[in-house]
Amino acid sequence: MLNIYIGYDHREKEAFRVCKHSISKHTTIPCALKALDHKELRKEGLFTREWKIKSDGTFEDIRDGRPFSTEFAFTRFLVPHIQKDGWALFMDCDMLFTTDIKELFELCDDKYAVMVVKHKYEPKDGIKMDGCRQETYSRKNWSSVILWNCSHPSNQKLTLEDVNYKPGNWLHNFKWLTDEEIGSLPEEWNWLEGHSNDEIKPKNIHYTRGGPWFKDYKEVGYAKKWLDEFTEMQLGEL
């Protein structure tokens, strides 16, 4: 059983459903697909961070005063606490798998605490996701796909207090780990639409600038593939 946690944002329900469908469609191994919904995590007492929504559509964290763009910006760091041991995958919801996710789990290496695609990404656009501001920070998008080694002793250092109180920059830069504990994944597993090399055949398409579920993003790269997947999902639900 593959344990997979998908970030859930109530503004992107269609993206979540299509992401989940694309994984189930291709997998040859049973998957436990779980939504990281901040509302449910708050009910369970795991998540307490407070935020406000600004006029530009971004969120602002009350505790560190910094902006962020999705409801799952911080909840991804709860995965080792929830999962306890073994390997688990976190991924943003604005993604589409084109192949068997088993191939990604086959890359797990127990010497690492996490494994990520180490993008060198500096977004050119100032706006993304239906009007939200595009924030720039070091190691941007590293945390959008994380293979978590939940048994690794260094991940035991990441406490609930850290997830709820540490600055976002500290979390997204994996500051509880040494650089040697962060393993690399091939870019095909977190292929950034509008940034990654078109010569790379993506196994996981990341619509990081915004996807076809937003009205102004119908023409982005691989838009048709997402829309076809959405139609197929809907027909399967009839």
Side-chain angles (χ1 to χ4, degrees):
M1 179 73 72
L2 305 180
N3 292 295
I4 300 166
Y5 296 82
I6 304 174
Y8 190 83
D9 190 310
H10 289 80
R11 302 166 302 169
E12 298 187 83
K13 294 176 181 178
E14 290 179 347
F16 173 85
R17 291 172 59 218
V18 171
C19 177
K20 187 175 177 181
H21 178 268
S22 72
I23 294 170
S24 299
K25 171 183 174 180
H26 294 288
T27 188
T28 57
I29 292 181
C31 295
L33 296 164
K34 306 162 190 176
L36 279 183
D37 183 341
H38 79 99
K39 293 182 179 181
E40 296 302 317
L41 294 166
R42 290 180 192 280
K43 291 177 184 177
E44 296 172 24
L46 298 177
F47 192 63
T48 62
R49 291 189 90 111
E50 297 180 1
W51 57 59
K52 63 182 180 180
I53 301 177
K54 301 175 69 177
S55 59
D56 64 358
T58 59
F59 297 89
E60 183 179 289
D61 185 77
I62 300 298
R63 289 174 179 164
D64 72 9
R66 297 289 298 169
F68 59 96
S69 57
T70 67
E71 294 179 357
F72 51 83
F74 298 101
T75 56
R76 70 194 72 201
F77 300 105
L78 290 170
V79 169
H81 181 84
I82 298 169
Q83 187 62 36
K84 306 298 185 188
D85 56 27
W87 282 88
L89 175 68
F90 167 81
M91 56 188 296
D92 288 4
C93 67
D94 55 348
M95 297 182 173
L96 182 75
F97 264 76
T98 66
T99 193
D100 192 341
I101 203 167
K102 176 189 73 170
E103 297 176 23
L104 177 54
F105 276 83
E106 288 172 348
L107 301 176
C108 294
D109 188 331
D110 287 338
K111 72 181 179 182
Y112 297 117
V114 299
M115 298 183 73
V116 300
V117 177
K118 296 181 178 180
H119 292 290
K120 295 180 180 179
Y121 177 51
E122 295 182 4
K124 298 176 182 178
D125 299 333
I127 300 295
K128 68 168 184 175
M129 283 185 56
D130 207 25
C132 291
R133 191 169 73 241
Q134 180 77 267
E135 297 296 331
T136 299
Y137 51 87
S138 60
R139 296 183 173 180
K140 186 173 178 67
N141 269 307
W142 285 28
S143 61
S144 55
V145 170
I146 310 172
L147 271 175
W148 287 98
N149 182 356
C150 300
S151 301
H152 197 285
S154 290
N155 281 328
Q156 310 310 309
K157 302 175 187 176
L158 183 63
T159 65
L160 281 180
E161 184 175 357
D162 289 334
V163 177
N164 285 297
Y165 286 90
K166 288 285 190 182
N169 189 59
W170 188 89
L171 291 163
H172 288 278
N173 280 282
F174 302 96
K175 288 296 188 180
W176 70 95
L177 302 175
T178 66
D179 288 351
E180 292 72 26
E181 292 173 320
I182 305 173
S184 294
L185 295 172
E187 190 165 354
E188 62 201 26
W189 291 109
N190 191 359
W191 188 90
L192 305 180
E193 188 279 321
H195 170 74
S196 290
N197 193 322
D198 288 336
E199 293 181 3
I200 299 173
K201 185 177 180 181
K203 294 185 176 182
N204 176 32
I205 303 164
H206 185 183
Y207 299 90
T208 184
R209 298 186 300 167
W213 54 95
F214 291 127
K215 61 182 177 63
D216 294 329
Y217 291 82
K218 303 294 187 185
E219 305 298 327
V220 299
Y222 288 98
K224 184 178 185 302
K225 192 168 188 65
W226 189 93
L227 292 166
D228 288 346
E229 192 87 20
F230 178 65
T231 299
E232 180 182 293
M233 178 190 71
Q234 288 185 308
L235 290 172
E237 293 173 349
L238 295 177

